Amino acid sequence: MQAVLVLVLLLVVVALLVSERLRVDVVSMLALATLLVSGILTIEQAFAGFSSPATVTVGCMFLLSAGLQATGVVRLIGDSVLRHGPTGEAGILLLLALTIAPISAFINNTAAVVVFLPIVLRLCQGRGVSPSRVLMPMVFLAILGGTCTLIGTSTNILVSSMALQQGLRPFRLFEITPLGLIFLAVGIVYLLLFARRLPERVTAQPHTAVHDLMDYLSEVVVLMGSPLVGRTLEEANLAERFRLQVLGVVQSDGELLVITDTSHRLTAGQILLVQASATALADLRDSSGLAVQAGKRPGETELHSLESALIEVVVSPSSSLEGRTLKEIDFRRRFGATALAIRRHGVDLMQKLGRVRLQVGDQLLVLARRQALEDLRRQNMDFFALEELDLPIVRPVRAGLACAIIAGVVVTAGFELLPIAGSALVGAVLMIVTGCLPIRRAYDSIDWKVIFLLAGVIPLGTALHSTGAAQIVVEAVVASVGELGPRAVLGAFVLLTYSLTGVMSNNATAALMFPLAIGTSVAMGIESRPLLIGIMFAASAAFYTPFGYQTNLLVYGPGGYRFTDYTRLGGPLNLLYVILSVAVIPLLYPF
């Protein structure tokens, strides 16, 4: 009965993860609570996921990647290499293959994409190349680069740590590198040949339609004797009364002073920069105490100044703002900035912004004081910036320290002087104590959803093994394809892993597939390593959906992509890798 309950729980977990009705960490904790309350797991077994080397290592890798970002190392490398890059699509892709792929082999893939994204956008704009032809291949290259070393992706670390817990030999740092390089080479050739078939969803122009937005901007003056004089913006309630959103005050020298709160008091003769429709401006009368400034037409207002700046940001996959509106989160007060427009998959949403529920990948055009933007850059993890202003500032001394720390982690793990969990922990601590990663950013840099996901799913794997549920699944797999030999079993595991990771978390997929692979290898009397490596690569390389890997979502909006674009380019690549896995893995890692 316990085995049946665990299998039912497994199906429910997969269904919830696929449907996305609940967050992945919530699903994981619900599964953990169920196993604990039902008595299937003891309290020690239930909480073992939190102390697992896999969980600790993944958390430390987030800190190491954040340290490289904070010191500007990745930006320095990427910007210097791409500054004088090639002019054509193929040349840009080849250059990305030589830069972002090696970097992704040693840091988090998402961190590499976040830094390269604005650089590539500027490169495309300057070369007249559509970002739609480059951004998706760039993400695929980052993902493939991450499969070249053990620390390139959290999935590899997870599988290796779980193998160690099962008493198996842990994976060495560069053990999977030969296979990873083969996959990467095939991927580069494939992308060079077929990326040009992607439609040009976005032209080589700036992504936010600033010129269209300007039609909604105007300057209004507070008239002498206006009933609004002396009132705060909150008291004046211009948004409700006149359908005006006040962005800032135009000072006597022409500079724009961005208003970041509603306590600002209106004075006679004050010129306000507002965002409003033409109808709302036409409705202004003397009785309202406001008038459109004479001689000013929409589109003539300069948004940039010494004190203010315009910046594009994209809602990150780990954002706490997903599903909420700008009004609900009090965007202006919380971030000290004003959202002027939202772009979603190539469509501009510039009216009633306060009612738009944010989604991962949404692009926001934000106006703020420069200091507020610096604070946003240092402290906030809800957005990734697409403008240079928001990229990390290069600090040479600490950048050198960060590189030395990463090198130390690689050397100690590569020569097995310390287990990967130990070397990653030491490296993460050094990142903080040397000042490469400020402590206030350290906690923000950890994707806690992944941590709690692992802490819940790892005990589920224990329950699958201890109750015999895994044995039931293993017997079904062996009965179905076992007679065809180990290669057929490997192909089945790779194909199933690809199918699951395209619609649910890659770490969750790997954690769920791990006990099944171990059980199958024992039942068939074969070496488990080929199956585990197949799971590693398949779980980290879901190209056929935008939801298979969080880096896919980062370019969903900037590239103007549709769901079918991922299937068009990524689907054949996934099928190619199933065939390649069956053909190559047994040669490098015999059964």
Side-chain angles (χ1 to χ4, degrees), residues 161 167 300 325 386 394 401 418 453 507 523 563:
S161 299
E300 293 184 344
T325 66
L386 300 183
V394 178
L401 281 173
L418 277 177
L453 169 68
N507 286 306
F563 187 97

Side-chain angles (χ1 to χ4, degrees), residues 61 64-66 68-69 73-74 100-113 115-116 142 145-146 149 151-154 406 549:
M61 293 309 300
L64 292 172
S65 294
L68 286 178
Q69 278 189 287
V73 172
V74 182
I100 195 170
I103 290 174
S104 296
F106 296 100
I107 72 167
N108 183 273
N109 299 338
T110 303
V113 171
V115 175
F116 272 79
T149 69
I151 63 174
T153 175
S154 58
I406 292 295
Y549 208 86

